């Protein structure tokens, strides 16, 4: 079943606050008929700020948020009174959220840590009041600055799952089964394609209380990078993994599947191929020991034969993953 609560992409219109205008005002006191300028400065417009929250796993809470506007700064007043600054707006987001311009896809910022705050759109600064414009030649300036306008823009927020290892494979390759057998995650498993419709994360316990995080994403199919199947939407979740674990069932044409998967990744984002790669030949229990031992693969990458059902090769796989995560290449 699709999980409608997994929202990993939203588009919002954001506007930071305008700066308030500086005031043009003159002192008026009983016995000072021609008081000097005393117009105060305008307040700063509110910023739009993103803040990391490790308790959030999706962008679901922002699903119905279409517009976000920070408050404008107030105008300056006489008696050198500053206008109040507009309130900032803080948008809480899960770790791994990237903010981009919806117009040109430029990356603005990403949030990686709990409580980390980054300003997405800065509020306009307030204008200076006429009190600043007094000079020897101009004792009574009327001029005061207008505030700077805030910035408005459509913003895409995208969530990229943070994991050390991303599982890459065609539907039904046994990705979710692996995650469920080596972590406490309980992803749905089924003998049909596209059982997994949204990413699952699991913490894999390793020796001596060490651990790493594994991301199970929906299966990739040929054409995924061009929008077929579910692939493209979720490929972004493996962009950050330091290792890609290719999962290829033993009864398939292993070499050919690997090439197809590489092609899809490359079409999506060439840089994905610069990641460290391990190949797991899955479902090894489906062939005899003899066949398994004789299985020839012709890869430059490290290949490990596993069965998530019997546990065959899983320790070796964890060792390989751990070593790769901690190696430079
Ligand atoms: N015999 C055997 N079957 C396996 C093994 N691992 C997974 N399977 C079976 O293969 C089928 C697919 O497994 P999943 O783990 O759901 O596959 P997936 O790659 O997550 O599939 P999608 O979510 O559709 O992309 C299920 O029927 C599993 O029981 C294995 O090691 N041995
Ligand atoms: Mg699955």
């Amino acid at each position: 079943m699709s999980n409608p609560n997994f929202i990993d992409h939203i588009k919002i219109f954001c506007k930071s606050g305008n700066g308030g205008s500086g005031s043009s005002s003159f002192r008026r006191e009983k016995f000072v008929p021609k008081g000097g300028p005393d117009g105060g400065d305008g307040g700063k417009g509110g910023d739009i700020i993103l803040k990391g929250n490790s308790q959030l796993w999706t962008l679901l809470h922002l699903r119905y948020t279409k517009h976000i506007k920070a408050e404008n700064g107030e105008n300056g007043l006489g008696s050198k009174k500053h206008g109040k600054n507009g309130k900032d707006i803080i948008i809480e987001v899960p770790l791994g959220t990237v903010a981009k311009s919806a117009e040109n896809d430029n990356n603005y910022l990403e949030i990686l840590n709990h409580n980390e705050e980054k300003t997405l759109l800065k509020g306009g600064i307030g204008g200076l009041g006429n009190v600043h414009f007094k000079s020897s030649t101009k004792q009574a300036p009327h001029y005061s600055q207008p505030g700077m306008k805030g910035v408005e823009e459509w913003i895409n927020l995208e969530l990229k799952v943070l994991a050390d290892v991303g599982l890459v494979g065609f539907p039904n390759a046994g990705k979710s089964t692996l995650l469920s057998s080596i972590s406490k995650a309980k992803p749905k498993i089924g003998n049909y394609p596209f059982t997994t419709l949204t990413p699952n994360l699991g913490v894999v316990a390793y020796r001596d209380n060490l651990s790493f995080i594994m991301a199970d994403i929906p299966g990739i199919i040929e054409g995924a990078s061009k929008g077929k199947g579910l692939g493209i939407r979720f490929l972004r979740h493996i962009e950050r993994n330091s290792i890609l674990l290719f999962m290829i069932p033993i009864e398939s044409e292993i070499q050919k599947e690997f090439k197809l998967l590489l092609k899809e990744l490359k079409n999506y984002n060439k840089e994905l191929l610069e990641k460290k790669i391990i190949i797991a030949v899955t479902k090894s229990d489906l062939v005899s020991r003899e066949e398994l031992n004789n299985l020839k693969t012709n890869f430059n990458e490290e290949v490990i034969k596993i069965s998530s059902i019997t546990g065959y090769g899983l320790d070796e796989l964890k060792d390989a993953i751990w070593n790769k995560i901690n190696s430079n290449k």
Side-chain angles (χ1 to χ4, degrees):
M1 287 300 290
S2 152
N3 177 356
N5 292 334
F6 188 89
I7 303 281
D8 64 349
H9 173 213
I10 54 156
K11 188 173 170 183
I12 336 178
F13 182 80
C14 295
K15 182 180 181 310
S16 57
N18 298 330
S21 309
S23 152
S24 176
S25 153
F26 294 89
R27 212 163 52 218
R28 305 218 180 281
E29 284 168 42
K30 238 182 183 166
F31 303 107
V32 192
K34 274 196 175 166
D38 72 351
D41 303 341
K44 184 184 151 302
D47 297 338
I48 306 256
I49 295 170
L50 296 192
K51 179 176 182 185
N53 180 340
S54 59
Q55 298 303 306
L56 293 172
W57 297 99
T58 72
L59 296 165
L60 176 69
H61 59 296
L62 298 172
R63 186 183 201 175
Y64 299 112
T65 309
K66 290 282 169 272
H67 294 88
I68 292 189
K69 284 187 177 170
E71 214 174 51
N72 294 333
E74 287 180 2
N75 295 337
L77 296 168
S79 312
K80 297 186 190 168
K81 270 204 199 110
H82 280 239
K84 243 174 60 191
N85 291 341
K87 269 205 204 85
D88 297 335
I89 295 240
I90 296 182
I91 310 175
E92 297 216 337
V93 293
L95 310 187
T97 299
V98 178
K100 291 180 172 178
S101 154
E103 200 173 311
N104 56 24
D105 221 30
N106 274 351
N107 247 3
Y108 285 157
L109 58 89
E110 65 184 335
I111 298 289
L112 295 174
N113 301 305
H114 186 57
N115 283 338
E116 177 182 10
E117 288 189 12
K118 284 187 179 168
T119 303
L120 177 61
L121 300 181
K122 258 195 152 352
I125 53 173
L128 297 175
N130 66 341
V131 70
H132 296 276
F133 298 100
K134 186 176 161 181
S135 66
S136 52
T137 53
K138 209 160 192 151
Q139 291 297 310
H142 284 271
Y143 178 72
S144 61
Q145 282 178 332
M148 297 254 277
K149 287 255 178 283
V151 190
E152 52 180 63
E153 192 165 353
W154 280 96
I155 299 286
N156 278 330
L157 294 182
E158 289 182 8
L159 175 60
K160 301 193 183 194
V161 169
L162 300 173
D164 302 303
V165 193
L167 301 183
V168 176
F170 286 108
N172 235 7
K175 300 180 293 297
S176 302
T177 310
L178 173 67
L179 185 74
S180 70
S181 64
I182 61 176
S183 79
K184 290 203 171 71
K186 296 271 168 284
K188 190 168 168 184
I189 291 164
N191 190 16
Y192 50 87
F194 297 118
T195 308
T196 302
L197 295 173
T198 56
N200 301 298
L201 285 185
V203 180
V204 179
Y206 191 62
R207 299 153 201 235
D208 308 325
N209 291 328
L210 301 169
S211 63
F212 56 85
I213 297 178
M214 190 176 249
D216 167 30
I217 66 163
I220 291 169
I221 57 171
E222 197 175 0
S225 55
K226 296 198 175 65
K228 276 202 189 155
L230 296 169
I232 183 108
R233 212 183 124 208
F234 294 108
L235 279 172
R236 75 169 80 108
H237 292 302
I238 55 176
E239 279 179 281
R240 283 182 203 269
N241 307 151
S242 64
I243 296 184
L244 299 180
L245 179 61
F246 283 68
M247 306 276 292
I248 308 179
I250 196 155
E251 347 93 293
S252 63
E253 292 179 66
I254 299 175
Q255 218 85 25
K256 193 173 148 205
E257 282 213 3
F258 180 64
K259 273 204 186 130
L260 277 174
L261 287 167
L262 280 183
K263 191 177 104 192
E264 289 308 322
L265 296 197
K266 187 171 154 211
N267 286 345
Y268 173 70
N269 176 356
K270 279 203 300 282
E271 285 166 25
L272 282 177
L273 300 194
E274 284 159 25
K275 289 186 187 287
K276 304 174 203 171
I277 290 177
I278 299 179
I279 300 168
V281 174
T282 66
K283 309 191 187 181
S284 290
D285 55 287
L286 292 180
V287 301
S288 68
R289 223 5 112 87
E290 203 184 347
E291 267 181 87
L292 188 60
N293 292 337
N294 290 336
L295 182 79
K296 291 266 179 304
T297 50
N298 182 19
F299 291 114
N300 297 326
E301 292 78 9
E302 190 169 5
V303 180
I304 295 170
K305 300 167 201 165
I306 61 164
S307 164
S308 304
I309 298 215
T310 64
Y312 176 82
L314 295 185
D315 282 336
E316 194 190 339
L317 179 65
K318 286 199 267 183
D319 284 341
I321 292 173
W322 185 261
N323 291 336
K324 264 242 154 75
I325 291 175
N326 294 295
S327 78
N328 292 328
K329 191 58 212 172

